[in-house]
Amino acid sequence: MDDEYTEAVLSLVERIPSGRAMSYGAIADVVGEALGRGGPRQVGTVMSTVGGTVAWWRVVTAAGRPPRGHEVRALREFAAEGTPLTADGARVDLRRAAWHPGFDRPPR
C-alpha cells in the first residue's frame, strides 16, 4: 500500500469513537470516496501491517467479527469500552455499534 492510502485508513480508524466499530468494507468505502481506490482487502493489509498504532479492534468484518487470531484481546477491549455485542458475545453488533464519519449517534 502506498503512504497516502495507509495514512487515510489510519486517520479514519483513529476517529472511530470508543464503543463503536467500522467494517473493513465501510472504511474502504470512505477512503475510496476520497482517493478513488482501494477496497476491504487493502484496508486489511494496512491494518495487519501497521494497524497496531491505532485502536485496531474497532475494525471488524462485515459480520462484526474481530481480526482472526486477536479475538480474545479484541473482546476484552470491546468489554472495556462498552461496545454492543451480539447475544453470543462473540461479535460486535454492527446494527447498534456501527460508526460512520459525520453520523454520530450513541450506541443503543
Side-chain angles (χ1 to χ4, degrees):
M1 284 287 82
D2 64 79
D3 291 343
E4 181 183 35
Y5 191 85
T6 297
E7 183 55 38
V9 169
L10 295 177
S11 176
L12 180 56
V13 173
E14 285 176 338
R15 294 173 46 207
I16 302 171
S18 176
R20 305 299 289 277
M22 284 184 83
S23 69
Y24 293 95
I27 292 170
D29 288 346
V30 172
V31 172
E33 270 185 41
L35 301 181
R37 64 184 185 278
R41 288 180 188 254
Q42 288 75 27
V43 171
T45 297
V46 169
M47 294 305 296
S48 69
T49 56
V50 294
T53 62
V54 295
W56 55 266
W57 59 90
R58 296 179 188 153
V59 181
V60 296
T61 67
R65 296 194 190 288
R68 184 171 292 162
H70 300 282
E71 296 90 349
V72 171
R73 170 127 185 254
L75 289 168
R76 206 172 338 157
E77 296 289 352
F78 297 147
E81 293 183 354
T83 306
L85 300 176
T86 57
D88 65 4
R91 297 178 290 129
V92 171
D93 183 345
L94 285 174
R95 288 175 299 166
R96 296 173 28 211
W99 179 80
H100 193 277
F103 184 67
D104 286 325
R105 64 170 171 69
R108 295 178 270 150

